Amino acid sequence: MVMDSLVSLPTSHCHSLLFTSKPHSSSATTTTTTTTSVSFSLPPPPQPPEPNIRRPKSINSSPKPKISSNPLKNFSTTTPTPTPTNNNFSHVPSPGETTRTTQSLVSKLRLSSKLFPPPPPPPLLHDTRKATQISEPEAPSPELEKPENFRQPGKIFIGNLPSWIKKHEVAEFFRQFGPIKDVIVIKAHNEIHRNAGFGFVIYGGPPPVAEESAVKAVEFDGVEFHGRVLTVKLDDGTRLKGKAEERARWVEGYQGQDLSNKSKWHQEREGSRGLFRKVLDSEPENWQKVVIAFERIDKPSRREFGLMVNYYARRGDMHRARETFERMRSRGIEPTSHVYTNLVHAYAVGRDMEEALSCVRKMKEEGIDITLVTYSILVRGFAKIGNSEAADYWFEEAKERHTPLNAIIYGNIVYAHCQTCNMERAEALVREMEEEGIDAPIDIYHTMMDGYTMIGNEEKCLIVFERLKECGFTPSIISYGCLINLYAKIGKVSKALEVSKMIESAGIKHNMKTYSMLINGYLKLKDWANAFAIFEDLVKDGLKPDVVLYNNIIRAFCGMGNMDRAIHTVKEMQKERHRPTTRTFMPIIHGFARAGEMRRALEVFDMMRRSGCIPTVHTFNALILGLTEKRQMEKAVEILDEMTLAGVTPNEHTYTTIMHGYASLGDTGKAFEYFSKLRNEGLELDVYTYEALLKACCKSGRMQSALAVTKEMAAQNIPRNTFVYNILIDGWARRGDVWEAADLMQQMKQEGVQPDIHTYTSFINACCKAGDMLRATKTIQEMDAIGIKPNVKTYTTLIHGWARASLPEKALKCFEGMKLAGLKPDKAVYHCLMTSLLSRATVAEAYIYSGVLSVCREMIVSGLTVDMGTAVHWSRCLRKIERSGGELTEALQKTFPPDWNSYHTIAANSDPETDDEPESDDEDNDVYLDNVTDGDNDLDDEDLNRLL
């Protein structure tokens, strides 16, 4: 019991108990108590005369004992021996007695003797040792008690049982004499489905009641039972005596010398059992060798079956774990709480919590106690699947049945709430754990840091890291990895590199995960060069890339547009005997499909199949996404049909992607058709689905249909987010209805939805379409007040508005303000500005003429070239300004396409009288607005994550 209590204590408590001792008292009573607590159950040896022992000079002072520190002093349960008050002498142990006492303590504390070896015995004179050896007889070996002392009250022996009889049948017959605690039926050696013909029945209740029941049963000695005359008598303790002798031989180290007394079958069985445990400890990764070693055991015991179930549990192979469990039960071996816990662990690792709960229900039905370890595994299992409510339920049940809890189950419940980003509950659990006096291990610090990383709370993550160091923990690679992951996710890769240097300065080597985090950080920033630099550092450190790292590198190549290098990386990955996954091929398929190279995309698709990867719905979604981004809807529908033929069922993301494709074309009918398919198949309708419908309605100008869609969203309790409002505001902006757009802005603020830059840009577009430039200017001022800076598209919209209002000087002033804000004009800005300036050049020649020349020079420096339609339109405006050509015509023609001269000659010969035709620049200037709410077409993580 002392050892069990010592082992079960936490580490911090063990240190405090092992290294803290109370001061010795000077009384004789304290000395006697210490001597008694060390002797344990062994009888004290005889005291030989020892004339050479030095006596204390003063009889009033107590001598210091030979064993100065006793780690089990506070755990002694022996009652101190009373001492007469007039006896002032203390017992002084002899050297021989001290040596034997120390050896007795060492034999009792085998683990402690290795961790904290006792001090060596004091040196003695040669004559004293010789006299001791002659005069002191050897300590007699402890004799085992007589068999009758091993007798268990209420236990009877039953002989001549039928070989086919089962435990429950024996229990039903002998239950008539009293309550039965247990039935033991001894199995045969060779035929495991039969018994050896005898067994034991143990009656329950208090010892007098159990003994009376046993006596009543013995009176029926010679009774007939299933055609056999039973031998019923009180158990004489022979079986327990044999176990005690075997245990004594094991403690004394004679367990390996008794094989000669066993049969050949026992020797082979013991050898195969030892080999199995050796393989399990030394080569757990070689599952074939472990299974072969287990199969070689003839008649495995409950221990071997439990070890095998535990082995499969650690591998996450829940099916083989269950098979091994059922094999054990078929052999008549009843599972214990330990075996059941291993099976629950297997299902928890395999994330099949329904089967794990069925095992727990079976344990309750069979009356098997659910240990704290079982509860901890259940909490951890629900944490991994993100079900924090179920984890809380089993945690509360564990608190009711087991007190106190340990740090492991607290760590699991904290992990459950960190995975669901419920950091308030996680903090409350940590406080509760500390109030219970449980010291938080370093794993809980890491869990909290990971939780704050998921919600992007840099401040609290750093607080936990500093607290970790204050509590005496040395930061490990996991601690630094949490910081790197934090900075990589929030986009502060420079700080992640600083943490990387801290790791190197602390003498800790990077591992695969830290390198992968750094590469992911650069991939989010689309910094391909630095991502490859980190990969080179990884190779220099001697680490071999794994599948996850190869997938990240392939993503980098696809982001750069180097698709051939990505395919070469896949082949290199296969040479290194890494099996590609569907995530390996998805960026490549999506890249080719987005570029319109469907032949190459399908080649990679076939390559994925040949590599052993079965196409999933996510793979087909990547193909469809790439085609819809290029608005190749016919090919996207063909992929959808092929997907159905392959037996892959489309999900909600499949239909939503196709709906977005038709919405980009303004095809409302097709968008509603696939919406009906999605709803009829019982798939989930989310905000992305309704966004596609709204986009189709607004693109085609059917705003009443868009309002009907918003009403259905309200009926489905789907709130409108910023993107939904952006689509609606842009729809009203296309119609020039600034009042409806303003009402939506007010609704947005009332519902607590924050406008973003796209919202304000769409509203400014509505103001410009309505000619309300005063409200557009106030909107720019409102943006500055709340800290939202206009981007290039915002300035482009404003310049377009001033151009429509026939105020090119205002447009030119807005253009100068954009450059002062540090923004670089793009082709759409120059197109709008130059068109508005050329249309007014004949009215305000002096101011406009210089503006056109300056803008034209900037376009030449930037290397911009307009398309043929724009060149034709501008040339007509130039002929109104400079009919015979001039400086402006010469400068502006440098931005025309190279084949302008040949086109101009043909156009002049075919239709010379086109100068007076009216031109409208509204359609040309509307081209850039298509991308205000559509988003960019670059491949990023959010596009692929929505497909998964």
Side-chain angles (χ1 to χ4, degrees), residues 171-192:
E172 287 177 1
F173 179 78
F174 284 92
R175 189 175 289 118
Q176 57 183 316
F177 307 112
I180 293 179
K181 179 181 179 182
D182 193 12
V183 176
I184 302 173
V185 178
I186 307 302
K187 297 292 182 180
H189 288 302
N190 298 325
E191 299 181 10
I192 58 175

Side-chain angles (χ1 to χ4, degrees), residues 861-927:
V861 172
S862 301
L864 295 177
T865 302
V866 298
D867 55 30
M868 189 61 70
T870 305
V872 171
H873 178 60
W874 286 359
S875 66
R876 292 171 182 170
C877 295
L878 285 172
R879 283 198 295 270
K880 295 178 182 179
I881 302 172
E882 300 176 343
R883 291 190 175 274
S884 60
E887 182 184 3
L888 185 60
T889 303
E890 182 182 353
L892 196 59
Q893 283 184 353
K894 293 181 180 180
T895 64
F896 289 178
D899 55 347
W900 161 253
N901 291 328
S902 59
Y903 178 85
H904 178 65
T905 304
I906 297 172
N909 294 331
S910 61
D911 191 7
E913 300 294 334
T914 56
D915 293 345
D916 296 332
E917 293 182 2
E919 288 292 334
S920 176
D921 59 337
D922 290 346
E923 295 300 326
D924 293 335
N925 291 337
D926 268 346
V927 173

